Amino acid sequence: MQTVRVEHLADGGLAARFQAMASPCEVLVDGADENELAELGLLAARECWRIQAKWSRYQAGNIVDAINSAAGQTIEVDEETAGLIEFAAQLHAGSEGRFDLTAGLLRRVWSFREGATVPDPAAVEALLPHIGWHRVVWQAPALRMLPGMELDFGGVGKEYAVDRALALLSQATSRPALVNLGGDLAANRARSDGSCWRIGIDSGVDRTATPLIRLTRGAVATSGDHHRYITLGGRRYGHVIDPRTGWPPPQAPRSVTVAGASCSEAGALTTIAILYGADAGDWLRSQQVDFHVVT
Amino acid sequence: MQLNGPQRRNRFAAAALSLLGASSAATAHADDGSDWTFDTSTLLYAEGAGRVKVFEPKVNASLHLDESRTLAATVTVDALSGATPNGAAPYSKPQTFFQPHSTSGSSGSSSSSGVNSTYTTAAYELPKDPNFENLRGALEIDYSFAPAAKQHMDLSTALSVEDDYTSIGVGGHWSRDFNQGNTTLGAGLNFSSDFISPVGGVNTPLSQMVGSIANGPSSKLKLVQDMVVGVTQLVSPRSLVQVNYSLSHSNGYLNDPYKILSVVDATAAPLYYVYESRPGSRLKNSLYTHYKARAMGTDVFDASYRYMIDTWGIRSHTVELSYRAYIAGERGYLEPHLRGYRQSAADFFHAALDQGQVAGTRFASADQRLGAFTAYTGGLEYGDRHWAGHDWSVRAEYYRQLGKVEGLPPVAGNALARYDVAPSLSAGWLIFSLGFR
Amino acid sequence: MNFRSIAVLAALSVLPGCVAVKPWQHDILARPDMQPASNPLQAGLEDHIYFSKEASSGGRGFGGGGCGCN
């Protein structure tokens, strides 16, 4: 149901709300009235829906479908897709292979629905030969994968949509704006009166304090397990899986929040940090970013 | 959430920037408090043989107005006490000197008669003024900003106040990035005016020490102009080289008002003492090269060399090496440090003068800092980056200066050779640093 | 002035290949511990010690001073 509603907030402000990428989304534009916000909200929402449709793995006929059904053939991708793939390749190189566009295949064996259990190690093992960016031949704009491999843009699409939607808003209005897609958000500048955007971060972990962040400009992304985990034999299996082993990293933090210049950057850092397991804090420190880790 | 500083970048930020094009924000600005950062370093310094002790805390508060503009204030307090060499040569009998003091103030702990007070040093000992005490307060205000893209400008003003010395200065430093940020060129200027009003007044250079009250005016002026040009070049993704050339010109009253020289006879016996006399201008040229590189993952290797030559005839070489080894997942580090220094003596350096020399010379100083010596420093620093984003470090250093005997007067050269006219100096210090971000 | 030593040292900065460092490779060099002076307050305190004990000063930046200690 693709609609945008303008709603009144508790502090008297307005928010344009819509659903995209299975998340509740909102757009705040400082100083805009209901009509203006409805228009700007629709502009942001359409961009999010466009991105969702373009790289959804469930949509037949899109570029992801074409790549994943290429069966070993070389596919030439459009410029925007090439940009996203190039970005993901940088993340792969900068994370010692932890971030991997081809890891989505592991969803076949890992489920975090109610009552799900840990998969059969043999089933995980059987998927590994079809996973790994090093098995992909990428020479922009040409991409060739081994038959049976799949690309999944789920790890970068949402954050990219936040950045794109904010960029469109910045072009359409001179008013300060903030885009929030299910807790991953970005703002283009301080509010008109010079104050910052106050954001409560839901780490997705029960009984932990909700950090309040004052954001002037830039982005904040959070990766929390939001009850998506399995407990077996006293061990906790989080929902972020290491493509190199097919298993969640041991002692992964339950939630990681990172501030970055862009949501794409912040989101990538949260995901990679979780894949560093117990070393998440140390790794984030070495990246010189502001972060918050819940273990 | 940790507080952030400006101009932070990681490879993911840069990769995201190329994904999104130029329309995205250049830097993040999120925090959980204010835009302030605080840094403090405190020095505890002590020299061997009961010489100088220093306690010097320094505090910096920086207000990050936005990603390129920072306003910072640094406050320094510098408390010094102890004995300091007065320049006279040692002798086989006790020597008595006048202690400088102002007409209105009371004398020190030494004996006094009328307006004069004195102190006496033991036989064979290097004469030192035992009552050296000084308290200094300094304030520096810095404003840095980006006048244009890829440019950085830093303007500063400084004030330093002591009982007998006041210095005010202004400076500016500009730099610009070229070649995709691989090269940075910089240039800076600094001017300072120093007002010297010695305890007891200013003594005429080379005049005889006859009492605690000076025979000259109450204050003097010294002007210093500094210039620096430099280039920083990234030579690989993991290393950089910096080369700075600097020129420092000072003129006016360049003496140490409390330093004297012994005038000796052929047996090295002191006849009387005269105040030192340095030329009224000095031009220093320095070339500084610095290499810094990542090693063994994230460790940092640092090496620098400086060559200095001035119009007083001093040449010096300084070599510094350090290696920062990260431990415990980059949470802490250990950094050993070595420094070697060698300087030649100023043309007018004399360990002491004979009577013939006093008559024929315009400039003379027995200040050990203008003599020839070699010095070594060795030390170790431990630093810790706390989980909450604050960091602290402690640094311990040991310094040893080995004097070289030079500038003996022709008449008393052999006689003075019996004494330790160029004694070695040992000093040790600790620096505690703490940063709040 | 010793011009030969200047020439040799200046050449140091251009000799080792000077590979173009790509913008995203600057991350390693952007860290505070890779800045020419990683702890300016501490460097200032040590510069002050050496300024008061030796005839040379400066190099990294200006020569310190502003005090009666030399």
Side-chain angles (χ1 to χ4, degrees):
Chain A
M1 199 177 60
Q2 299 198 332
T3 55
V4 178
R5 284 158 286 115
V6 174
E7 294 176 6
H8 287 266
L9 298 170
D11 68 355
L14 294 167
R17 296 210 157 117
F18 56 94
Q19 282 282 327
M21 305 179 186
S23 304
C25 308
E26 62 183 357
V27 169
L28 307 182
V29 180
D30 202 29
D33 63 20
E34 250 171 90
N35 288 336
E36 192 182 350
L37 184 60
E39 203 175 298
L40 293 169
L42 191 60
L43 177 74
R46 281 191 175 137
E47 179 67 359
C48 295
W49 295 330
R50 177 187 75 81
I51 288 166
Q52 178 173 4
K54 183 164 181 179
W55 290 301
S56 167
R57 61 176 180 269
Y58 304 112
Q59 191 134 345
N62 69 3
I63 182 70
V64 177
D65 186 29
I67 292 168
N68 290 345
S69 51
Q73 297 299 307
T74 297
I75 296 280
E76 212 159 279
V77 305
D78 62 280
E79 197 181 328
E80 193 181 24
T81 302
L84 216 49
I85 291 175
E86 187 52 44
F87 178 58
Q90 292 283 338
L91 302 184
H92 182 263
S95 65
E96 300 166 286
R98 288 172 174 82
F99 189 99
D100 201 315
L101 279 188
T102 64
L105 217 51
L106 287 160
R107 261 189 334 276
R108 291 188 188 167
V109 292
W110 282 97
S111 163
F112 294 93
R113 287 199 196 89
E114 191 90 56
T117 63
V118 171
D120 176 7
V124 174
E125 194 66 34
L127 284 176
L128 292 183
H130 303 286
I131 293 166
W133 185 250
H134 58 282
R135 300 182 212 273
V136 176
V137 180
W138 166 241
Q139 186 75 48
L143 179 92
R144 186 161 53 92
M145 296 193 301
L146 301 178
M149 292 181 75
E150 279 184 15
L151 280 200
D152 179 355
F153 290 89
V156 286
K158 196 167 92 173
E159 293 86 349
Y160 177 67
V162 171
D163 290 328
R164 284 289 309 152
L166 185 66
L168 289 182
L169 290 174
S170 299
Q171 282 170 19
T173 176
S174 58
R175 300 183 193 279
L178 179 145
V179 177
N180 175 6
L181 259 66
D184 293 334
L185 51 96
N188 57 5
R189 70 180 73 91
R191 301 175 63 163
S192 305
D193 62 358
S195 68
C196 22
W197 305 91
R198 288 163 192 282
I199 303 144
I201 299 294
D202 177 11
S203 60
V205 179
D206 292 338
R207 292 185 302 279
T208 47
T210 300
L212 183 77
I213 291 174
R214 306 191 327 169
L215 181 72
T216 311
R217 182 184 57 252
V220 177
T222 301
S223 185
D225 60 19
H226 292 274
H227 310 290
R228 287 188 293 165
Y229 59 91
I230 304 167
T231 313
L232 185 77
R235 215 198 126 175
R236 207 168 157 285
Y237 296 87
H239 74 293
V240 184
I241 298 162
D242 192 331
R244 302 170 305 172
T245 62
W247 292 79
Q251 299 170 61
R254 304 185 66 179
S255 166
V256 171
T257 300
V258 173
S262 63
C263 203
S264 301
E265 174 207 348
L269 288 164
T270 58
T271 307
I272 296 169
I274 287 179
L275 288 165
Y276 271 86
D279 297 330
D282 287 335
W283 183 76
L284 283 169
R285 222 184 337 271
S286 75
Q287 297 300 316
Q288 305 293 319
V289 291
D290 301 333
F291 64 93
H292 183 80
V293 171
V294 179
T295 49
Chain B
M1 202 71 163
Q2 303 179 5
L3 300 180
N4 72 344
Q7 292 153 7
R8 301 246 194 97
R9 276 295 159 78
N10 57 66
R11 70 183 297 161
F12 305 105
L17 214 60
S18 57
L19 166 68
L20 300 164
S23 62
S24 63
T27 53
H29 201 91
D31 64 58
D32 59 358
S34 67
D35 296 320
W36 289 90
T37 58
F38 296 94
D39 289 280
T40 151
S41 283
T42 300
L43 168 72
L44 293 172
Y45 170 95
E47 288 174 6
R51 283 173 62 172
V52 169
K53 283 187 170 64
V54 175
F55 169 66
E56 185 174 355
K58 233 177 167 63
V59 179
N60 169 281
S62 294
L63 174 60
H64 305 286
L65 301 164
D66 57 38
E67 82 270 20
S68 65
R69 294 185 304 141
T70 301
L71 186 62
T74 307
V75 174
T76 307
V77 175
D78 180 6
L80 179 151
S81 66
T84 189
N86 65 9
Y91 185 55
S92 58
K93 294 191 175 107
Q95 301 183 72
T96 297
F97 304 92
F98 292 106
Q99 171 96 53
H101 71 73
S102 52
T103 44
S104 54
S106 61
S107 68
S109 56
S110 308
S111 65
S112 72
S113 64
V115 296
N116 289 329
S117 57
T118 59
Y119 59 90
T120 300
T121 51
Y124 295 100
E125 198 179 279
L126 184 76
K128 289 178 235 128
D129 180 341
N131 301 316
F132 212 74
E133 253 182 50
N134 195 25
L135 185 65
R136 185 174 71 97
L139 172 69
E140 187 179 321
I141 307 279
D142 283 279
Y143 178 63
S144 56
F145 62 101
K150 297 176 181 175
Q151 292 189 33
H152 184 81
M153 184 91 189
D154 192 79
L155 301 174
S156 66
T157 173
L159 172 70
S160 172
V161 179
E162 297 161 65
D163 259 4
D164 56 355
Y165 203 98
T166 302
S167 172
I168 54 171
V170 290
H173 188 272
W174 170 87
S175 63
R176 191 189 190 287
D177 295 339
F178 292 91
N179 184 16
Q180 293 194 315
N182 289 343
T183 308
T184 304
L185 295 180
L189 287 172
N190 198 74
F191 302 97
S192 74
S193 295
D194 296 5
F195 304 92
I196 305 119
S197 44
V199 176
V202 178
N203 285 286
T204 307
L206 294 178
S207 70
Q208 198 174 328
M209 184 188 224
V210 292
S212 291
I213 308 299
N215 53 16
S218 63
S219 67
K220 283 282 191 181
L221 182 65
K222 168 180 170 182
L223 298 172
V224 184
Q225 304 95 45
D226 283 297
M227 180 218 78
V228 62
V229 290
V231 57
T232 305
Q233 174 70 46
L234 308 189
V235 290
S236 80
R238 299 173 63 82
S239 59
L240 60 89
V241 169
Q242 182 187 20
V243 179
N244 280 354
Y245 170 69
S246 50
L247 205 58
S248 175
H249 178 251
S250 42
N251 62 306
Y253 185 77
L254 305 184
N255 295 322
D256 182 327
Y258 308 115
K259 287 277 193 275
I260 55 173
L261 296 99
S262 300
V263 179
V264 296
D265 67 13
T267 68
L271 303 169
Y272 55 94
Y273 308 98
V274 294
Y275 291 98
E276 72 161 25
S277 171
R278 304 185 189 182
S281 79
R282 181 184 188 189
L283 184 66
K284 292 194 284 188
N285 289 274
S286 316
L287 188 73
Y288 172 81
T289 60
H290 186 187
Y291 176 73
K292 201 154 184 163
R294 290 262 163 217
M296 311 272 294
T298 55
D299 291 355
V300 183
F301 171 76
D302 192 304
S304 69
Y305 168 76
R306 176 185 63 181
Y307 179 72
M308 195 282 299
I309 179 166
D310 74 359
T311 51
W312 287 359
I314 299 171
R315 284 153 198 243
S316 76
H317 302 271
T318 313
V319 176
E320 245 178 309
L321 293 172
S322 71
Y323 187 87
R324 177 175 292 196
Y326 281 100
I327 52 177
E330 282 200 50
R331 210 146 175 184
Y333 64 83
L334 274 172
E335 181 178 322
H337 166 238
L338 284 173
R339 179 183 188 270
Y341 176 82
R342 171 169 287 171
Q343 74 176 46
S344 64
D347 298 334
F348 54 88
F349 177 81
H350 297 277
L353 296 170
D354 62 38
Q355 282 185 284
Q357 283 178 310
V358 181
T361 193
R362 281 176 67 206
F363 304 117
S365 173
D367 190 334
Q368 284 183 322
R369 295 170 294 191
L370 302 179
F373 63 83
T374 304
Y376 303 96
T377 313
L380 187 65
E381 178 175 327
Y382 174 76
D384 186 279
R385 286 191 286 176
H386 197 262
W387 184 260
H390 312 317
D391 45 47
W392 63 270
S393 66
V394 57
R395 180 175 175 99
E397 301 269 303
Y398 176 77
Y399 176 74
R400 188 156 174 85
Q401 211 178 74
L402 303 162
K404 186 177 164 203
V405 178
E406 253 182 41
L408 294 178
V411 171
N414 289 337
L416 268 175
R418 292 169 52 207
Y419 301 95
D420 190 9
V421 291
S424 59
L425 165 75
S426 301
W429 62 85
L430 289 172
I431 298 177
F432 299 95
S433 298
L434 196 56
F436 302 92
R437 265 142 253 285
Chain C
M1 194 68 224
N2 186 336
F3 284 101
R4 197 180 48 177
S5 69
I6 291 181
V8 168
L9 292 163
L12 252 179
S13 72
V14 284
L15 269 181
C18 260
V19 295
V21 180
K22 301 274 193 316
W24 63 83
Q25 295 177 314
H26 284 184
D27 57 317
I28 292 168
L29 298 157
R31 293 172 43 139
D33 60 5
M34 280 302 283
Q35 300 312 303
S38 56
N39 185 345
L41 288 188
Q42 177 166 279
L45 288 168
E46 293 200 339
D47 282 349
H48 189 180
I49 293 171
Y50 293 120
F51 175 75
S52 69
K53 293 289 150 203
E54 298 174 349
S56 314
S57 62
R60 262 192 295 257
F62 295 122
C67 71
C69 52
N70 194 349

